[in-house]
Amino acid sequence: MSEPRPSITLNAFLMGTGHHEASWRLPDADPRVSRDVTYFQELARTAERGKLDSVFFADSPSLMTDPARRPSETLEPRLLLSAMAVATERIGLVATSSTTYEDPYNLARGFASLDAISNGRAAWNVVTSADLKAGANFGYTTAPTHAERYERAEEFLEVVLALWDSWAVDAVIADKTAGVWADPARVRSIDHAGDRFDVAGPLTVGRSQQGRPVIVQAGSSGPGIALAAKYAEAVFTATPTIEEGRDFYRRLKDATVAAGRSRDHIRILPGLVPILGSTEAEARDLERQLDDLVVLDHPLRQLAADVGIPVDQLDLDRPLPRDIRSADEIEGNKARYELTVAMARRDDLTVRQLLLRLGSGRGHRAFVGTPEQVADTIEEWVTSGAADGFNIMPAVLPSGLELFVEQVVPILQDRGLFRREYAGTTLREHYGLPVPGTEGGLPQTG
Ligand SMILES: Cc1cc2nc3c(=O)[nH]c(=O)nc-3n(C[C@H](O)[C@H](O)[C@H](O)COP(=O)(O)O)c2cc1C
């Protein structure tokens, strides 16, 4: 079997007891794991055993879920990943941070630190924070609009990239004889003066083994795609059907080329929620068991709020009413709203069916079946221009990740699609990305 070239990209999206709404209610689940660092270190080691590219945490600076509904504690992802960095050697570490509610200097410093601590394995998932409640935690009386958030995101990114580039690769000389530690000409101010930020620089942290952290992006609206095309090196997205996957893939790759970058320097990773069993019937049983544990009242109230109608006008056994909010009125997660409504209409779902679909993957592609069948789906998507790999979102953790690593990964390796060993040590090497400033990669800023 020859070593696959290039390997597809597999990222493990980690979340407490798993992505299924009711995973925490299964008999074996520990509903308190969200604050257990040893649990997450073990998950990272499992992903690394499977030679996965990276692990990832989503985040919002606000309590996103009704605490009655499911385990809703989330530790700050950079801190948590820092603990996972010392428990692993190769796996990439992707943390979400908000351009709307953070400060660029502190953020650049935090990620550069994680990149140093992990020897070049860090990535920043750039989000504009769709949860409008977050604004109230930062003194906003009205939440910034979708358009304002993306305008700020662009300047924010420029500042962060310039700060990461404020140290030249060869800045540190450490010449004990001459008594010179670093060349001051190679540690530069950035003197950014913009509409929203004034930042002098330089940063307190220099280059890592991979140059600078990888930029990941996860917004799929028009402005989201424009931002990704310009800056992102990997993109997480929710495309439930292969047709939607191909359409998104083509649009984003074309936009990346139009932005003057190589189409190979952006990895497009749709979400995939595998619900695995050794037979299809066993997988369906697990799905049924999970669905039976969903307390429908919680997602029903959330859906009513999202679509903008009173909850008593949603009948569980009838389709979504026609007279609901249009996507133009959505200031939060625009792309996901469009996707949810389109899925309900296309598949003629009742409200109950829609809620159960969302319960297993929040609009990402859920796949119920055997390891062989999941591998078939992955192969079909990556060989037909719908994905460069996947954001694997196990419905149940840790068992779903263990099964994926033990049973799906070997099939992908045997088919020559996925690496058997890591070829490098940094996340850029796993994703097949250049070090910025070399080989026609992202331009060096500043
Ligand atoms: C896999 C995936 C993970 C995401 N993770 C986060 C997250 O952690 N925090 C967040 O605020 N938004 C997250 N998002 C949402 C987007 O980043 C974005 O903020 C949202 O989709 C609104 O932008 P859009 O309208 O351009 O899609 C995620 C989206 C996807 C597809």
Side-chain angles (χ1 to χ4, degrees), residues 144-156:
T145 62
H146 192 265
E148 283 164 353
R149 296 203 312 270
Y150 271 106
E151 278 160 29
R152 179 180 156 106
E154 174 135 17
E155 189 180 339
F156 195 116

Side-chain angles (χ1 to χ4, degrees), residues 58-59 96 127 129-130 146 150 218-221 236 333-336 391:
D59 194 52
T96 299
V127 301
S129 291
H146 192 265
Y150 271 106
S220 297
S221 63
F236 297 148
N333 193 336
K334 225 184 240 306
R336 195 66 61 84
N391 199 12

Side-chain angles (χ1 to χ4, degrees), residues 82-401:
S82 180
M84 291 158 76
V86 297
T88 53
E89 289 177 357
R90 296 293 183 93
I91 190 107
L93 308 161
V94 188
T96 299
S97 277
S98 169
T99 52
T100 304
Y101 301 116
E102 296 237 22
D103 164 82
Y105 194 92
N106 285 337
L107 181 141
R109 188 179 186 206
F111 275 97
S113 301
L114 181 61
D115 214 17
I117 290 165
S118 63
N119 296 317
R121 295 186 279 140
W124 170 29
N125 176 35
V126 180
V127 301
T128 62
S129 291
D131 182 19
L132 302 178
K133 292 194 303 297
N137 294 334
F138 297 88
Y140 288 84
T141 46
T142 53
T145 62
H146 192 265
E148 283 164 353
R149 296 203 312 270
Y150 271 106
E151 278 160 29
R152 179 180 156 106
E154 174 135 17
E155 189 180 339
F156 195 116
L157 260 160
E158 285 296 328
V159 174
V160 170
L161 292 174
L163 286 168
W164 285 340
D165 289 348
S166 63
W167 290 61
V169 176
D170 50 1
V172 177
I173 311 159
D175 186 340
K176 289 185 183 175
T177 316
V180 179
W181 182 71
D183 178 353
R186 288 162 201 252
V187 183
R188 297 167 305 190
S189 305
I190 65 162
D191 295 327
H192 176 91
D195 292 342
R196 290 173 177 79
F197 305 110
D198 290 300
V199 182
L203 198 60
T204 61
V205 190
R207 296 279 171 180
S208 77
Q209 283 84 337
Q210 62 170 351
R212 67 185 188 211
V214 171
I215 297 289
V216 180
Q217 199 273 357
S220 297
S221 63
I225 289 183
L227 192 77
K230 208 162 159 190
Y231 300 101
E233 299 172 290
V235 167
F236 297 148
T237 185
T239 45
T241 65
I242 195 164
E243 291 75 26
E244 286 161 291
R246 282 195 197 113
D247 178 59
F248 180 81
Y249 188 92
R250 195 187 53 242
R251 282 192 292 132
L252 181 50
K253 292 273 176 176
D254 288 352
T256 303
V257 172
R261 299 175 50 213
S262 161
R263 63 195 310 119
D264 296 332
H265 295 163
I266 184 164
R267 308 292 286 167
I268 300 181
L269 309 174
L272 180 67
V273 184
I275 300 182
L276 292 170
S278 48
T279 61
E280 215 178 306
E282 204 180 294
R284 295 251 165 246
D285 275 352
L286 175 61
E287 184 190 36
R288 224 177 346 264
Q289 192 186 358
L290 284 163
D291 285 352
D292 286 348
L293 290 171
V294 174
V295 180
L296 284 172
D297 192 42
H298 295 301
L300 184 68
R301 276 188 282 122
Q302 189 191 329
L303 181 67
D306 288 349
V307 300
I309 59 174
V311 69
D312 56 15
Q313 286 181 27
L314 285 178
D315 183 334
L316 281 173
D317 296 309
R318 296 180 65 83
L320 202 57
R322 289 271 147 199
D323 190 18
I324 55 171
R325 230 178 236 152
S326 83
D328 298 340
E329 298 170 67
I330 299 294
E331 289 298 341
N333 193 336
K334 225 184 240 306
R336 195 66 61 84
Y337 182 80
E338 277 175 326
L339 180 151
T340 304
V341 175
M343 184 165 74
R345 305 270 189 247
R346 182 192 61 230
D347 296 344
D348 200 18
L349 302 177
T350 62
V351 168
R352 183 191 308 276
Q353 288 166 326
L354 176 63
L355 294 180
L356 291 178
R357 278 251 194 124
L358 294 174
S360 65
R362 303 183 304 284
H364 289 270
R365 181 176 166 74
F367 191 90
V368 187
T370 62
E372 196 81 31
Q373 289 170 323
V374 175
D376 289 347
T377 292
I378 292 177
E379 179 163 11
E380 190 189 2
W381 281 57
V382 296
T383 55
S384 72
D388 293 315
F390 280 92
N391 199 12
I392 303 299
M393 304 169 55
V396 182
L397 284 168
S399 59
L401 184 62

Side-chain angles (χ1 to χ4, degrees), residues 14 40-49 55 84 88 91:
L14 304 180
F40 288 108
Q41 287 173 323
E42 196 48 44
L43 284 178
R45 280 193 284 258
T46 302
E48 190 167 75
R49 196 168 71 241
V55 291
M84 291 158 76
T88 53
I91 190 107

